[in-house]
Structures are given as C-alpha cells and as structure tokens.
Amino acid sequence: MLDRVFEGGTVVDGSGAEPFTADVAVQDGRIVEVKREGRITDPARERIRADGAWVTPGFVDIHTHYDGQASWDETFSPSIHHGVTTVVMGNCGVGFAPHVPGRESELVALMEGVEDIPGGALLEGVKFNWQSFPQYMDALDAMPHTLDFLVQVPHDPLRMAVMQDRALAQAPATAADIAAMRALLREALEAGAAGFSSGRTDNHRTSRGAATPASEAGAAELAGLGEAFRGLGHGVVQMVNDFDVLRGPDGFDAEFDLALTLARAAGRPLSMSWMQRDPGGEQWRRMRERVDAAVAQGMPLYLQAAPRGIGVISGLDAATHIFMGFPGYKEVAPLPLAERAAALREPARRARILAEKSERLSGDGSSVPPLVDLLLARLEMIAWRMFPLDAGGGVPNYEPALAQSFGAMARQRGISALEALYDHLSAGDGSRLVYFPIFNYNDGSLEVVREMLGHPRALFGLSDAGAHVGTICDASCTTFMLTHWVRDRAAGRLALPAAVQMLTARNAQFMGLADRGRIAPGQRADLNVIDPVRLAVGTPRLVRDLPAGGKRFLQVGEGYVGTWVAGEAVQREGTVTAARPGRLVRMGRRGAAGSAR
C-alpha cells in the first residue's frame, strides 16, 4: 500500500531538465516511483490530482535567521507558506549558541541589532535551556517542527562564549582563545552542525550600538577556526562582508583575501553574500572576477544572490517610517492605526508636521533609525528610489518603474517628496506601505539581478527569513522566483527548470544534502504542488504573533496546493496542518538525513 500518489502533474524534477507529465508515488517518506507513461495504479491511501499543476521538489533556503524563532514556533512561518521544506539557520555570524548563563541579554542585543527582531520577543520567546552548541541542537531537535532545518555555528556567540568581555571589546584573539573556539566549533561539527558563519559588515551593530564581536577578526583567527573542519567530510562556510566598499580597491582585496584564508583553512565550500551595493555599485563585478579566478584555481567558492532588491518596507504601523521622529506625529502615534491616519489628514496638523524638523533618531544601535535620518537628509534625491509597494489590486510590485517613484509623483504634483510620502501613508486606513530597494536597484530595474542569477556559482539565498521582521518579508523570494522571473517579467525571464533547480538541487548539493532537491526514486518526499496560474507572493501584512506581542510582516503565498515534508502534508492551500515531520538534519552522521558529498 502506497502512502500517496501525485497524479498527472507537470514534474519539474530539480535537475534542470525539461518538465514532463508523470505520476509520483510516495511511501515511508520517500519517493518510490516516477512514472512518465501510463498511471501508477497500485493501491494508495491518498491520491492527489495534479493535472495542470507543477510538481517540484521542496525548496531549500540556505540563508535564514530562525535561530530564535525555532525555539518557540513549530511552523517556520512564513517560509512554510512559500514552498520551503528545508531551512538553514545560523547565518552572518549571529545566533544564540553557545552561550554563557547570565549573559543572555548580550546575545539578545546582538540579534536585535543585527537582525531587527524585537528584543522583548526574544527575551520572552528564547528559552536558553542550553549552553553548548550541541545542547542547543538537542533542544531544538526535541521540539516538533513542520520543516527540516540545519544549523551553522555563528562566529559572534562562539567568540563571546570564549572571550566574553574581551569579545565585546573586539580584542584580538590570543592563540589560546583561537584553540578554545576551534575546539567548540569542532565539537559542534561532530554533533552534526552544518557549518560555520562569520559576519564582517559595518551595517551590523548590536542594539547597544556596538560593532559585532567578530567583525574585525584577523587572519590568524579565521584560519584557526577553519582548521576545525580538517578530517571531516561535511560542512560549509558562510560569510557576509562589505569588502570595505568605502576604502577603495586595496580594502576590497584585503577583505577578499581574508575570505580566501578561511576557505583554504577549512577546505570546504564557502559562500558569500552577493549584491549590488550603494555606494559601491560596481563591487559585485569585482567579487565575480575574484570568485571566477579562485574557482579556476580549484577553490570551492559560491555567491549567494537574492532574486530582487534588498531594502525595507515602511509604513505607519511598521518598524519604521519617515515621520516617526516628527513631534507632531508623536502626538498621534499612540492612536489606533485608522484613527492615526485620519488625524494625520487634518489640514492644520498636516501643515504643522510638514513644517517641522524630525528629531534625530540615530544612536540606539538599531539599523532602522540611522536609515530614517539618512532618508530625511537626502530625501529629494532618494525619493526617486522609493515606491508605493502596492502595484494595484493588492499585488506588491518589486520591480517598479522610475515613473512610479515618490520623486516622480512629487514632481508631477508640484509638491515636495515629503508631502507625497505624507499623503500616501496617511491615506485610507493608514495601512499603505512604501518600498525602498537599497541594494540591487541602482539602475531602476533588476537587470543586475538577472545577470547575477545566471552566474554558474550563484546560489539562491539572502531571504533572511525570520529576520528584519518589521521591515521586510523576503521569505517570499522563493515564490517571487517563480512568478516574476519565470512567469511574469516582460523580458529576460528565467526558464522554469533553471529556476526550480536553483531553489532545490543546487542549494541541496551545496549544503551536502544528497537525499533531497530532486524528484527521483530514493529521494525524500519533500514536494510542492503548485498552481502556476494562481501563484502569487501575497500581500505583506503586519501581525502581532511574536512573543510579548511583537509585530512582524507576514506574507502568505497563494497557489500552493500543498507542501509535503517526508511525505506528510504540512500545508494545504495556505493552511498549516497538524503534521510535524520536520527534524534537525545532523550532517556527517551515518544514516543522517543529509549525507556528505
């Protein structure tokens, strides 16, 4: 008796090959047959009609920040609503383990500042019933979850556990410090951790305004930590780096050489965040050149690319908006949203607020207030890169034309950009949103992103799912790949097999997951059935479902007929089921779900 049969779907198998019509049979969490001709007639407990639908492997998201959320949320929302069946956490060098008892607030300050997750939610939601990294893994694995997940060891908590106050002061690591960190990293890798991550960017600050503990770690430290991988057959390295974009070409090369130092010492695949920065709009080409040269010499380097602009969503009820520091706005800020919007539309109040100066917001360490200060200082210019998110009919537009910008609107109406933004945000019930793509949109389109996605070393990444919850919801990027890039874009589309391969097999292969990412006999039955006509990213909406009543953006994809993890349905038509088949994937273990390459 088969568990279920998916009948007559258009199978996009993850290999990059052309789609084909087939039946797919599942038993005991595995795919047991893919039949292209005829039908699978064996008895089955359930038969799912998939005529006209895409049947794809479940998506593998290698860049998430569910490190805290996984300890209170069984569902990995919103990733579960966008076809994802496996998530990788512990990116950018930040996380919650290892940790020293009594110093939890320091880890919360790190994650609140770097990843813009409300500190109150973290303090209430994260249990901290662990000290070592293997204990953290055990604690998460003891909880039921919908999706499979992998954990990487983040550099900052590792440094904080060993060096404590000296780590917070960014003191150089001694040989003894490096040896102790290497031992803890090795212990975690032997327990099945998927790799190691490090962050070297000035954009990352703790909520107390301090640089992250490992952001200036030297070559000796990085090389010493890389040696923890020696003799192991699994593990990846992930790094985010500004590559000193403001310090000229010498700074770039010095920082890139540090990444090579870590990769050589580890002897494992290393991926770097890849984006078109502003300033530094040509840096991404330098990265490509250096990576291509290193790969030609046998280095296993990869580039994590996002499928759309990287920026923020703002609104009156979001974590940020441009009027949050205006005294006149603060007077009405406590009102319910619709009442607040109505109060802002009062002519006298509107005139008074627009004549005011905002109080300076920088200084608390969060990345959001300094961004607002920057916007206000250069608004008339930056407004040409700010757009209404709604493209009409509630559909978000992530590749808007310059003519749709607030700069263009203001010019057409003969008003200031500040006035145009004010009128947009205060309209209706106050729920309108503003989209500001900071990176990947220097030229007013996603042509640069199209070039990135076509690179042979590009990996689908940078969704940041679980992070920046009040300013983005890029967990929907998986759905965006299939709507915008495959179905909807006027020119420069991606072929469906190539897009699905990026979302599935390519990421699985990079992580060393040999048992998923393909629709083939013997593979895990991690599957999506997708209606290509109804498929949509959904509209971002603010919900208060975090611990301590914290707010976040939630974006529920449409058109996912269902998602199955190890053969069990975890969501059907946007509704999460009671099934909890997800487990921690322990790498390098005999019989583990994810085997090493």
Side-chain angles (χ1 to χ4, degrees):
M1 176 73 71
L2 298 170
D3 290 329
R4 51 194 47 85
V5 176
F6 299 84
E7 297 181 325
T10 300
V11 175
V12 192
D13 67 4
S15 70
E18 286 301 310
F20 54 88
T21 301
D23 284 4
V24 178
V26 171
Q27 188 172 28
D28 297 328
R30 298 275 170 177
I31 297 168
V32 294
E33 185 176 3
V34 179
K35 190 168 186 177
R36 299 191 188 209
E37 297 182 4
R39 310 309 291 262
I40 295 175
T41 59
D42 301 36
R45 294 181 177 86
E46 181 183 17
R47 308 188 84 87
I48 296 106
R49 295 294 302 172
D51 304 76
W54 296 335
V55 181
T56 76
F59 305 148
V60 180
D61 189 343
I62 62 174
H63 195 115
T64 79
H65 290 281
Y66 286 119
D67 309 69
Q69 185 176 329
S71 70
W72 74 71
D73 174 21
E74 298 178 357
T75 69
F76 290 107
S77 170
S79 291
I80 191 172
H81 295 295
H82 293 279
V84 174
T85 54
T86 303
V87 299
V88 181
M89 310 175 332
N91 286 284
C92 301
V94 295
F96 291 105
H99 106 274
V100 176
R103 307 194 73 143
E104 294 83 3
S105 64
E106 293 166 354
L107 291 175
V108 168
L110 175 69
M111 289 295 278
E112 182 181 19
V114 172
E115 301 304 338
D116 286 328
I117 305 170
L122 295 175
L123 286 169
E124 181 173 307
V126 180
K127 298 177 178 64
F128 286 109
N129 55 343
W130 57 78
Q131 294 183 36
S132 71
F133 202 87
Q135 288 171 343
Y136 170 70
M137 296 167 67
D138 292 342
L140 293 186
D141 198 21
M143 285 182 58
H145 288 96
T146 54
L147 312 183
D148 271 15
F149 58 100
L150 293 80
V151 290
Q152 299 172 111
V153 182
H155 195 172
D156 289 322
L158 190 66
R159 207 172 200 263
M160 292 161 71
V162 170
M163 298 173 61
Q164 299 193 29
D165 288 341
R166 291 187 297 118
L168 298 178
Q170 290 193 313
T174 66
D177 293 331
I178 295 170
M181 285 189 277
R182 182 170 58 243
L184 293 178
L185 175 55
R186 178 72 178 207
E187 176 189 43
L189 292 169
E190 290 178 345
F196 169 74
S197 73
S198 190
R200 301 177 64 84
T201 167
D202 292 336
N203 292 325
H204 287 176
R205 297 267 164 178
T206 74
S207 62
R208 298 165 185 171
T212 54
S215 59
E216 296 295 331
E221 181 175 343
L222 292 171
L225 289 169
E227 290 171 1
F229 289 85
R230 295 292 174 86
L232 297 177
H234 76 276
V236 299
V237 181
Q238 183 268 335
M239 177 176 280
V240 58
N241 197 324
D242 292 335
F243 293 103
D244 287 337
V245 65
L246 299 178
R247 302 182 194 177
D250 293 340
F252 172 89
D253 287 327
E255 284 295 312
F256 200 96
D257 288 344
L258 281 176
L260 293 181
T261 295
L262 176 57
R264 288 193 185 99
R268 303 298 304 168
L270 180 146
S271 69
M272 292 174 279
S273 298
W274 196 29
M275 63 196 79
Q276 181 193 40
R277 297 183 180 275
D278 185 14
E282 294 302 306
Q283 185 202 72
W284 71 277
R285 299 185 192 277
R286 294 284 313 282
M287 289 183 66
R288 181 178 62 189
E289 292 167 3
R290 292 287 318 254
V291 165
D292 287 347
V295 168
Q297 296 176 2
M299 294 287 291
L301 299 188
Y302 295 82
L303 292 158
Q304 284 195 36
R308 66 190 187 208
I310 297 172
V312 297
I313 301 171
S314 65
L316 292 183
D317 221 22
T320 177
H321 61 83
I322 204 160
F323 297 99
M324 58 193 296
F326 283 67
Y329 174 80
K330 290 184 176 182
E331 292 175 3
V332 299
L335 294 175
L337 181 59
E339 294 179 30
R340 197 185 328 158
L344 291 172
R345 290 195 298 271
E346 295 170 3
R349 189 185 306 277
R350 178 183 183 276
R352 178 160 61 91
I353 292 175
L354 290 171
E356 291 175 344
K357 295 293 185 182
S358 174
E359 297 173 3
R360 185 170 175 79
L361 296 167
S362 301
D364 71 347
S366 169
S367 62
V368 171
L371 175 61
V372 175
D373 288 338
L374 173 64
L375 289 175
L376 286 167
R378 303 170 59 194
L379 184 60
E380 292 300 321
M381 179 179 68
I382 294 177
W384 292 87
R385 288 265 294 278
M386 301 173 73
F387 307 88
L389 184 62
D390 191 339
V395 179
N397 184 2
Y398 292 102
E399 193 174 11
L402 192 67
Q404 297 170 291
S405 70
F406 284 99
M409 284 186 219
R411 177 172 292 180
Q412 290 164 3
R413 293 176 57 192
I415 60 176
S416 69
L418 190 67
E419 289 176 276
L421 284 159
Y422 189 102
D423 292 343
H424 176 79
L425 291 172
S426 63
D429 63 0
S431 63
R432 289 186 176 183
L433 300 173
V434 174
Y435 178 50
F436 176 31
I438 302 171
F439 297 148
N440 288 351
Y441 219 71
N442 295 14
D443 305 315
S445 79
L446 294 177
E447 283 303 311
V448 162
V449 172
R450 178 64 181 85
E451 194 171 342
M452 290 179 178
L453 294 176
H455 192 275
R457 307 300 285 193
L459 302 172
F460 168 85
L462 308 187
S463 82
D464 270 358
H468 308 291
V469 294
T471 53
I472 69 169
C473 194
D474 285 350
S476 65
C477 277
T478 50
T479 305
F480 183 79
M481 279 280 284
L482 298 178
T483 52
H484 186 80
W485 286 111
V486 171
R487 188 190 65 192
D488 298 338
R489 200 168 190 258
R493 296 180 187 176
L494 292 174
L496 174 62
V500 170
Q501 185 180 42
M502 286 195 76
L503 293 171
T504 58
R506 188 181 295 188
N507 277 359
Q509 182 180 9
F510 169 76
M511 293 303 305
L513 296 167
D515 65 344
R516 67 197 70 197
R518 295 280 306 278
I519 295 180
Q523 289 277 290
R524 276 173 54 95
D526 293 350
L527 297 165
N528 286 311
V529 176
I530 301 169
D531 181 342
V533 176
R534 293 189 294 120
L535 188 65
V537 294
T539 302
R541 58 188 177 87
L542 282 159
V543 298
R544 290 184 176 273
D545 66 350
L546 294 179
K551 290 187 298 186
R552 65 169 178 152
F553 276 112
L554 182 63
Q555 199 169 7
V556 177
E558 300 169 14
Y560 287 94
V561 177
T563 299
W564 287 259
V565 173
E568 295 189 52
V570 293
Q571 76 85 20
R572 300 293 295 265
E573 293 291 357
T575 299
V576 178
T577 73
R580 298 291 183 267
R583 294 298 304 272
L584 167 67
V585 181
R586 295 181 185 266
M587 301 298 293
R589 298 288 189 88
R590 182 180 298 277
S595 57
R597 285 167 293 177

